[in-house]
Amino acid sequence: MPLLAGTLLGPYKILAPLGAGGMGEVYRARDSRLGREVAVKVLPAAFSADADRLRRFEQEARSASALNHPNILTIHDIGTHEGAPYVVSEVLEGETLRDRLAGAALPARKAIDYAVQIAHGLAAAHEKGIVHRDLKPENLFVTKDGRVKILDFGLAKLTRQEAPSGDETSAPTLPGVTEPGIVMGTVGYMSPEQVRGLTVDARSDIFSFGAILYEMLAGKAAFAGITPADRMSAILKEEPAELAQSVAGTSPSLERIVRRCLEKSPEERFQSARDLAFALAEATSASLAPPSVGLPLGLRTPRRFWFASLVVGLAALLALLVAVDPGGLRKRLLGRAPPSRIESIAVLPLQNLSGDPGQDYFADGMTEALIADLAEIRALRVISRSSVEQYKDRKKPLRQIARELGVDALVEGSVTRSGERVRITAQLIHGKSDTHLWAKTYQRDLRDILELQGEVARAVAREIEAEITPEERAQLERSRAIDAKAYEAYLQGRFFLGQGSEEGLRRAFEFFQKALAIEPNYAAAHSGLASYHAILPFHSQLSPAQVFPQARAAAQRAVELDEKLAEAHASLAYIRAYYEWDWTAAEREFRRALELQPSYADAHFSYSRFLAASGRLEEAMVEIGRARDLDPMSASLKANTALLSYFGGRYDKALEELLELRKLNPELPLVHWGIGLVYEQKGMHEEAIASFQKATSLSKSINMRSSLGHAYAAAGKRDEARAILEEIAERSRRSYVPSYFSALVYAGLEEKDRAFEWLERAYQERSTVLAYLNLDPRLANLRGDPRFSDLLRRVGRAP
């Protein structure tokens, strides 16, 4: 009897039926423990007493639960309800491949994409020693985002654990369905050895795959017939019609792949699904190319035609040899190169599949860690986290994302956290062709998470054949066990630190402290504390002089514990430059951070600011260009590039870039601020004031308010300028405000003594803005004063 809505199977509450098949009934249910919806498959009560059917159902659960792969249905749990066993899996939204086909062919591009995904899923199963034995369109599910999932391992055979029984394939079969209890397969997709009742292995699935691929491309079954016997006879004796007869423009390489899958003898098929997936990837470009144009009539002389035929024939022979791969010829000819050389990559935000939104911080942390590990490879350009973050809930096709980010390949995947176990699934996709190149699932205890992160990064680097130096390899292979609770606290600290709010900072500090209470020698947590203290003046009443000593101590401790932690060196560089004003030591730390992590976008940007403050504007422009390559979606970096032109006195160039950027980002305060700066230096005071007013309407930044005050003063609007000074004074009673900004307004009012009074206060509080004393053109009227030269000397910027 079907289960009613509200029925409880352990922690699972039945919501509604989803469907039924030969091996059980499927329901949508809710997991009361994790608050997520799942699919529950229950063996019908009428069959639960059948020992053979019960054995096969349990075998399905064991087989599928051993397979953690993005192209295979994920199994969560197994249990028993009133004597009837059930399996709990992820619930899918979409339709079966049978429904998607609806008796018609798919576009070649879509068919190949599905085929590559199916091949990767089969490869994962076969490498675990598991053969599906009932692959058909009904057992393939296409999710709404185009992911193909292999379902129903109810006929799976554990080839490494069971010898063939001989009687498992002796029963008759039914067209289009698998009769309950008959472990034989489905007519039309069975291999010849299944039809004959012989022993089967992974190559049987490859035959079924070939029949499915043929149907996706041709829109009709590979082996037709009125009765099951007719179809079985066709499988044993007939060849399907050539694809070229029904699919215009089918490439010879794709035709050969299908034919090789459908060879009657297992020895003549692809010997592994991994080889099949590789051959499909190689054939993708050719299969999607436009039909070739015939030779012009004037060239069709017998000799030239013979020569052209010879060339075509040799090319076809070479392609056949590569596809067949005798003696590893393909690897020798083509290496293992993907469709084109991969020199740049983006890691898309890993999906949180734990069923708990509260675990988002964990998936975000895994994404950031993978980006950081790959960023250590100098030969690889790795896009920063800030540029990929917008694709977290991606709606765009992968090919479009790759184009927007300007990368050759993408990594996407998921993270599942269950207690102290972590599972990461990663896929490598070629950007231009949207071809799946590689996929794998990794599972570890949480204490081994650092090793897991490095292993995933090494696997990606290996698949794209990135050139890795011995030092980089050692970096990726470094690992140490970490207390699970300390690691979790660290990730939560990072999550709250990224919120950039006063409350977020408070929570970040608590979690970093918690991590260090558990693991006192946790270098990354010390580095997190350094970052916390370094940004605290922007969100509290504390000045740099009050908190930077703690930042320095935390960064130094992090470097002592792990000298190869790039983030800690970058924090130390910032402190050396903007607190200690030790410019030589700062540059050394910046260079070390970028040596350890060449694709560290934030460090490149910070280093560019350092170079600009040092008066090395051309070098700064090069460095910010590197940051933009790594963070291509950042409008802020584009605005800062224009500001470098401003600081170099190239006002027209800066204005042109900023005005163009304003068209694309009209709500970005930094753009309006930069435009105001340029207008003021060009003597266009009203325009400058309007731009600063727009900037301050979009941002509460005291920097922008003080710039408005200086512009008022420069325009002769002294009352408005003094009103800004009063506002700054009022705000300083609630939070820390760098004294530099009051000095800036007084400089605009030509009140030099008051300006130097406030600059001296800025020196005492170790204001980070003093690094740009020599660069800010708004202080030009102070530069001839001996007090200005003395201040420059004290901050290490004497000419």
Side-chain angles (χ1 to χ4, degrees), residues 13 26 126 156 240-241 279 304 337 375 397 488 529 564 568 627 723 727 739 772 785:
K13 182 179 180 180
V26 186
H126 293 169
R304 286 176 178 169
E488 187 170 10
L529 269 185
K564 295 185 177 180
E727 181 184 329
S739 296
Y772 305 99
D785 194 297

Side-chain angles (χ1 to χ4, degrees), residues 173-472:
T173 57
L174 298 175
V177 298
T178 305
E179 184 178 345
I182 300 176
V183 189
M184 183 171 180
T186 302
V187 174
Y189 303 96
M190 295 166 56
S191 66
E193 53 269 34
Q194 280 182 294
V195 172
R196 293 190 176 101
L198 303 176
T199 302
V200 301
D201 57 24
R203 295 170 296 183
S204 179
D205 284 347
I206 290 175
F207 185 95
S208 302
F209 172 95
I212 294 168
L213 177 54
Y214 183 96
E215 190 168 345
M216 286 194 293
L217 292 167
K220 60 183 180 181
F223 302 100
I226 298 175
T227 67
D230 292 338
R231 295 185 188 182
M232 294 169 72
S233 176
I235 288 171
L236 292 173
K237 301 176 182 178
E238 299 177 9
E239 299 290 344
E242 291 185 5
L243 283 169
Q245 295 179 8
S246 54
V247 186
T250 301
S251 70
S253 58
L254 186 57
E255 180 88 55
R256 283 192 296 273
I257 289 172
V258 174
R259 292 290 165 188
R260 190 176 173 197
C261 289
L262 295 177
E263 289 287 353
K264 307 300 183 188
S265 169
E267 288 74 18
E268 295 178 5
R269 298 175 205 146
F270 288 97
Q271 297 302 290
S272 76
R274 191 70 68 190
D275 283 348
L276 170 58
F278 186 84
L280 280 167
E282 290 179 342
T284 297
S285 298
S287 65
L288 301 180
S292 58
V293 180
L295 288 171
L297 289 175
L299 294 182
R300 293 179 182 171
T301 63
R303 180 173 296 179
R304 286 176 178 169
F305 180 78
W306 172 86
F307 180 74
S309 299
L310 177 61
V311 172
V312 171
L314 289 173
L317 177 60
L318 178 59
L320 177 61
L321 289 172
V322 169
V324 175
D325 195 25
L329 177 63
R330 178 179 65 229
K331 187 173 182 179
R332 295 200 306 274
L333 289 176
L334 301 178
R336 291 179 61 253
S340 62
R341 184 172 178 80
I342 294 175
E343 297 177 334
S344 56
I345 198 167
V347 180
L348 299 181
L350 300 176
Q351 296 179 13
N352 169 25
L353 297 186
S354 300
D356 177 9
Q359 290 288 318
D360 282 351
Y361 76 89
F362 194 84
D364 291 346
M366 294 296 96
T367 303
E368 193 164 353
L370 182 53
I371 291 172
D373 282 344
L374 290 171
E376 295 173 357
I377 303 172
R378 185 167 298 278
L380 191 61
R381 180 169 63 89
V382 184
I383 300 301
S384 73
R385 168 78 182 279
S386 59
S387 271
V388 301
E389 185 65 23
Q390 64 179 291
Y391 301 107
K392 187 167 186 175
D393 299 311
R394 66 177 180 85
K395 307 295 182 186
K396 298 179 179 179
L398 292 175
R399 184 183 287 105
Q400 182 180 346
I401 294 174
R403 184 171 61 252
E404 290 177 357
L405 293 175
V407 294
D408 301 324
L410 299 167
V411 174
E412 68 165 357
S414 61
V415 178
T416 304
R417 164 86 182 280
S418 179
E420 300 301 301
R421 295 289 288 176
V422 180
R423 184 173 70 232
I424 295 180
T425 296
Q427 291 191 94
L428 181 65
I429 299 102
H430 187 257
K432 290 183 180 178
S433 63
D434 197 6
T435 302
H436 287 68
L437 303 176
W438 165 84
K440 193 168 182 179
T441 296
Y442 302 82
Q443 195 162 232
R444 291 283 194 288
D445 286 333
L446 193 55
R447 65 177 282 105
D448 298 322
I449 192 67
L450 302 182
E451 177 186 349
L452 172 59
Q453 292 166 0
E455 185 176 353
V456 176
R458 290 196 304 273
V460 172
R462 182 171 58 250
E463 290 300 318
I464 65 177
E465 298 186 345
E467 295 180 6
I468 304 179
T469 67
E471 184 178 7
E472 291 167 351

